[in-house]
Amino acid sequence: LLVNQHALKEDLVETFEEWLPTRVDADTVVYVYFSGRALVDGISGGVSLVPFDGTTASVKRLYPVRRMHQVLSKLPVQRTIMIFEVSLDPTPGSNPASTPQADWEDGLDEGKNGVMWMVGNKALQEAHAYEQGKHGLFTYYLLRGLQGLADIDRDGTVVAGELCTYARGEVGRAARQQFGNAQHPSHGHARRVRDAPVCAFRLPAGTLLQGLAP
């Protein structure tokens, strides 16, 4: 867990490139969650994360998602699920109107089909904070989904695809109703990751998930 002054660029480098490779094997499921800001390259659409010591005015202290993909693709893991709760800005000097859509698959090894990514906001804009839920809007609905609301087929297990579908729909609805503008989550995945379980639970007989309090 890297937070604030412990989430410098060098901390990300050390965690992904030195610490993680020594702690995984063929049965490992890697979850990556990042909350903060990211920059979108005005030409390629490549995305770079802004660590605690980074700024949106300089690209030297950023951690590219391409670099993260390259590191993760070398790990002998079962699958990787990446979640980004980010506000997106164009790189300095770029024209927002001509900046391409963020390319979250930049650097992803196409032969490594055990990767799934979920992003709370695909446009160049501020990601909404949800004060009532004490989280970003996307994170709030991810957590609600993991409580069981994303279990579309009601089998007691939330799989990655169900979580994506639930969060995308709820975030879009809440952004329109509560903030009056759009926020559209996005995701990409291999089929075998889409059907992978991310949360299992057992509910008392007769429980109605729709009735759970927020």
Short mmCIF file of all heavy atoms in Angstrom, two decimals, residues 51 54 77 100 103 111-112 118 122 131-132 139 152-153 172 201 204-205 208 212 214:
data_model
loop_
_atom_site.label_atom_id
_atom_site.label_comp_id
_atom_site.label_asym_id
_atom_site.label_seq_id
_atom_site.Cartn_x
_atom_site.Cartn_y
_atom_site.Cartn_z
N PRO A 51 2.57 10.24 -9.82
CA PRO A 51 2.80 9.86 -8.43
C PRO A 51 2.81 11.08 -7.52
O PRO A 51 2.59 12.21 -7.97
CB PRO A 51 4.18 9.19 -8.48
CG PRO A 51 4.85 9.82 -9.65
CD PRO A 51 3.77 10.16 -10.64
N GLY A 54 5.08 13.80 -8.58
CA GLY A 54 4.94 14.23 -9.96
C GLY A 54 4.01 15.42 -10.08
O GLY A 54 3.30 15.78 -9.14
N VAL A 77 2.18 -15.07 -13.70
CA VAL A 77 0.99 -15.05 -12.86
C VAL A 77 -0.21 -15.62 -13.62
O VAL A 77 -0.21 -15.73 -14.85
CB VAL A 77 0.67 -13.62 -12.37
CG1 VAL A 77 1.82 -13.08 -11.54
CG2 VAL A 77 0.37 -12.69 -13.54
N PRO A 100 -5.97 12.23 -28.51
CA PRO A 100 -6.73 10.98 -28.71
C PRO A 100 -7.23 10.40 -27.40
O PRO A 100 -6.78 10.80 -26.31
CB PRO A 100 -5.70 10.05 -29.37
CG PRO A 100 -4.38 10.57 -28.94
CD PRO A 100 -4.54 12.05 -28.82
N ASP A 103 -5.10 5.52 -24.25
CA ASP A 103 -4.79 4.16 -24.68
C ASP A 103 -4.27 3.36 -23.48
O ASP A 103 -3.07 3.35 -23.20
CB ASP A 103 -3.75 4.19 -25.80
CG ASP A 103 -3.41 2.80 -26.32
OD1 ASP A 103 -4.08 1.83 -25.90
OD2 ASP A 103 -2.48 2.69 -27.15
N GLY A 111 -0.02 -11.35 -26.42
CA GLY A 111 0.04 -12.78 -26.14
C GLY A 111 -0.22 -13.11 -24.69
O GLY A 111 -0.45 -14.26 -24.33
N LYS A 112 -0.22 -12.08 -23.84
CA LYS A 112 -0.48 -12.25 -22.41
C LYS A 112 -1.95 -11.95 -22.18
O LYS A 112 -2.34 -10.84 -21.84
CB LYS A 112 0.40 -11.29 -21.61
CG LYS A 112 0.34 -11.47 -20.11
CD LYS A 112 1.23 -12.59 -19.65
CE LYS A 112 1.32 -12.62 -18.13
NZ LYS A 112 2.20 -13.70 -17.64
N MET A 118 -9.78 -1.76 -15.80
CA MET A 118 -11.01 -0.99 -15.59
C MET A 118 -10.62 0.43 -15.24
O MET A 118 -9.77 0.66 -14.38
CB MET A 118 -11.84 -1.59 -14.46
CG MET A 118 -12.40 -2.96 -14.74
SD MET A 118 -13.41 -3.62 -13.36
CE MET A 118 -12.14 -4.38 -12.37
N LYS A 122 -13.07 7.69 -19.03
CA LYS A 122 -12.32 7.58 -20.28
C LYS A 122 -12.10 8.91 -20.99
O LYS A 122 -11.36 8.96 -21.96
CB LYS A 122 -13.03 6.61 -21.24
CG LYS A 122 -14.36 7.08 -21.78
CD LYS A 122 -14.94 6.04 -22.73
CE LYS A 122 -16.26 6.48 -23.34
NZ LYS A 122 -16.82 5.46 -24.26
N GLU A 131 -18.92 12.49 -2.15
CA GLU A 131 -18.71 12.81 -0.74
C GLU A 131 -19.54 11.93 0.19
O GLU A 131 -19.09 11.53 1.25
CB GLU A 131 -19.03 14.30 -0.49
CG GLU A 131 -18.10 15.27 -1.21
CD GLU A 131 -16.66 15.11 -0.78
OE1 GLU A 131 -16.42 14.72 0.39
OE2 GLU A 131 -15.76 15.35 -1.61
N GLN A 132 -20.77 11.62 -0.24
CA GLN A 132 -21.62 10.79 0.60
C GLN A 132 -20.99 9.42 0.85
O GLN A 132 -21.09 8.85 1.94
CB GLN A 132 -22.99 10.60 -0.06
CG GLN A 132 -23.95 9.72 0.73
CD GLN A 132 -25.28 9.52 0.01
OE1 GLN A 132 -25.60 10.25 -0.93
NE2 GLN A 132 -26.03 8.53 0.42
N THR A 139 -14.88 4.34 -7.57
CA THR A 139 -14.48 3.44 -6.49
C THR A 139 -15.67 3.07 -5.62
O THR A 139 -15.81 1.91 -5.20
CB THR A 139 -13.40 4.10 -5.63
OG1 THR A 139 -12.23 4.33 -6.44
CG2 THR A 139 -13.01 3.21 -4.45
N ILE A 152 -24.89 -10.25 -11.09
CA ILE A 152 -26.03 -10.18 -12.00
C ILE A 152 -26.81 -11.49 -12.08
O ILE A 152 -28.04 -11.50 -12.10
CB ILE A 152 -25.55 -9.76 -13.41
CG1 ILE A 152 -24.93 -8.35 -13.34
CG2 ILE A 152 -26.70 -9.78 -14.41
CD1 ILE A 152 -24.25 -7.92 -14.62
N ASP A 153 -26.10 -12.60 -12.10
CA ASP A 153 -26.80 -13.88 -12.22
C ASP A 153 -27.15 -14.50 -10.87
O ASP A 153 -27.67 -15.61 -10.79
CB ASP A 153 -25.97 -14.88 -13.05
CG ASP A 153 -24.59 -15.14 -12.45
OD1 ASP A 153 -24.32 -14.68 -11.32
OD2 ASP A 153 -23.78 -15.81 -13.13
N GLY A 172 -22.32 5.97 -14.70
CA GLY A 172 -22.93 6.81 -15.72
C GLY A 172 -24.25 7.40 -15.25
O GLY A 172 -24.52 8.60 -15.46
N PHE A 201 -19.41 -14.69 -1.95
CA PHE A 201 -20.06 -14.42 -0.67
C PHE A 201 -21.27 -15.33 -0.53
O PHE A 201 -21.76 -15.91 -1.49
CB PHE A 201 -20.50 -12.94 -0.59
CG PHE A 201 -21.31 -12.49 -1.77
CD1 PHE A 201 -22.69 -12.58 -1.75
CD2 PHE A 201 -20.69 -11.99 -2.90
CE1 PHE A 201 -23.44 -12.18 -2.84
CE2 PHE A 201 -21.43 -11.59 -4.01
CZ PHE A 201 -22.80 -11.69 -3.97
N PRO A 204 -27.90 -14.79 3.37
CA PRO A 204 -29.01 -15.50 3.99
C PRO A 204 -30.14 -15.71 2.99
O PRO A 204 -30.33 -14.91 2.08
CB PRO A 204 -29.45 -14.56 5.12
CG PRO A 204 -28.27 -13.67 5.37
CD PRO A 204 -27.59 -13.52 4.05
N ALA A 205 -30.86 -16.79 3.16
CA ALA A 205 -31.99 -17.08 2.27
C ALA A 205 -32.98 -15.93 2.27
O ALA A 205 -33.32 -15.39 3.32
CB ALA A 205 -32.67 -18.38 2.70
N LEU A 208 -32.65 -9.74 -0.50
CA LEU A 208 -32.81 -9.02 -1.76
C LEU A 208 -31.66 -8.03 -1.88
O LEU A 208 -31.57 -7.07 -1.12
CB LEU A 208 -34.15 -8.26 -1.78
CG LEU A 208 -35.41 -9.14 -1.79
CD1 LEU A 208 -36.65 -8.25 -1.74
CD2 LEU A 208 -35.43 -10.02 -3.03
N LEU A 212 -30.18 -3.55 -0.18
CA LEU A 212 -29.09 -3.23 0.71
C LEU A 212 -28.94 -1.71 0.80
O LEU A 212 -28.98 -1.00 -0.19
CB LEU A 212 -27.79 -3.84 0.20
CG LEU A 212 -27.71 -5.37 0.25
CD1 LEU A 212 -26.39 -5.82 -0.34
CD2 LEU A 212 -27.83 -5.86 1.69
N PRO A 214 -27.22 1.94 1.06
CA PRO A 214 -25.95 2.48 0.52
C PRO A 214 -25.02 2.85 1.66
O PRO A 214 -25.44 3.03 2.79
CB PRO A 214 -26.41 3.70 -0.26
CG PRO A 214 -27.70 4.10 0.34
CD PRO A 214 -28.37 2.81 0.79
#
